[in-house]
Amino acid sequence: MKVAAILLPVALSACATVDRPQLSRFEPLGTEAGVKTFKFTARADPWIYPVDTPAGEAERMRWLESYVTENTFCARGYEVTSRDVVAIEVGMGKVHDVFYRGRCKT
């Protein structure tokens, strides 16, 4: 039982790395008043990345951070300026798309 308790978080974190490209998308939008802006869309399911839970939101923010860092998009960091949730009926539970807008800090 102790082994399962240790391996479960490792297995879930491995899924998060694999899931990011399948469940999210980063899109540069251009500049507004000389500041780069972006849209980030992430899928929230009811099982692993629930829409309105601290753990689900933290994982989506890790995905966003990965996109920004891997592409050196915002040298001085960024801020999320809006968040909208749209429910999509799929299979046995409600799946959501979470739409974020953001901008680079100057």
Side-chain angles (χ1 to χ4, degrees):
M1 187 59 129
K2 288 182 182 179
V3 173
I6 293 169
L7 292 179
L8 182 60
V10 172
L12 289 176
S13 67
C15 288
T17 303
V18 172
D19 288 346
R20 180 178 61 105
Q22 301 300 317
L23 299 177
S24 64
R25 176 185 166 124
F26 181 84
E27 181 181 346
L29 297 176
T31 60
E32 293 177 11
V35 177
K36 290 195 285 187
T37 61
F38 61 86
K39 178 171 75 172
F40 173 64
T41 306
R43 183 71 38 105
D45 65 39
W47 308 282
I48 300 175
Y49 311 112
V51 69
D52 288 322
T53 65
E57 190 68 8
E59 190 58 43
R60 287 185 289 280
M61 290 297 99
R62 279 191 286 277
W63 293 349
L64 173 56
E65 181 68 27
S66 293
Y67 281 115
V68 171
T69 301
E70 290 168 5
N71 293 287
T72 58
F73 191 75
C74 296
R76 295 188 175 115
Y78 63 90
E79 62 181 340
V80 173
T81 57
S82 69
R83 177 184 185 270
D84 295 298
V85 178
V86 176
I88 305 168
E89 290 289 337
V90 176
M92 297 174 55
K94 222 178 231 187
V95 176
H96 298 82
D97 278 340
V98 186
F99 298 91
Y100 303 87
R101 292 223 177 223
R103 62 190 206 122
C104 297
K105 292 182 180 179
T106 57

